[in-house]
Amino acid sequence: MSRLTEQFSKPTGLLGRIAGWIMAYRPSNRERNAWAVSLLKLQPTDRVLEVGFGPGFAIQLMSRTVTHGLIWGIDHSVEMLRQASQRNRV
């Protein structure tokens, strides 16, 4: 179990894919992301930087409002970059 929980800091490999799935689909994580994004009071032309974007769920939420601005993200996990890129493909 600790091998899986370690994956939440820098997901890699199969366990990292599982950790990313949990981060993206666990109801409490989705609620927390939606709450955090709501606090930003985003506008369509805003510019946003998300540090540690994980599987990109919050970026997906922000992109619904930030339609004429820019959203950047940075994460040190190649697996999270893969998942976030797939989730937010245009």
Side-chain angles (χ1 to χ4, degrees):
M1 186 56 115
S2 69
R3 287 183 60 211
L4 177 59
T5 58
E6 290 171 2
Q7 290 296 316
F8 288 94
S9 63
K10 187 178 181 186
T12 58
L14 177 61
L15 290 177
R17 282 187 216 133
I18 294 167
W21 187 89
I22 291 169
M23 286 188 263
Y25 293 103
R26 186 174 181 199
S28 62
N29 290 349
R30 286 179 165 257
E31 291 168 11
R32 197 171 10 264
N33 275 276
W35 172 74
V37 169
S38 76
L39 294 176
L40 297 174
K41 307 289 186 212
L42 294 170
Q43 301 299 311
T45 58
D46 282 348
R47 295 176 178 202
V48 182
L49 171 62
E50 183 171 5
V51 178
F53 53 74
F57 181 68
I59 289 175
Q60 184 180 44
L61 294 175
M62 289 186 283
S63 69
R64 294 175 185 165
T65 302
V66 181
T67 54
H68 292 87
L70 292 169
I71 301 171
W72 294 278
I74 185 168
D75 200 296
H76 64 172
S77 168
V78 173
E79 180 58 33
M80 291 300 93
L81 175 60
R82 187 188 68 73
Q83 288 188 26
S85 296
Q86 191 172 28
R87 174 168 283 103
N88 293 291
R89 194 174 345 169
V90 178

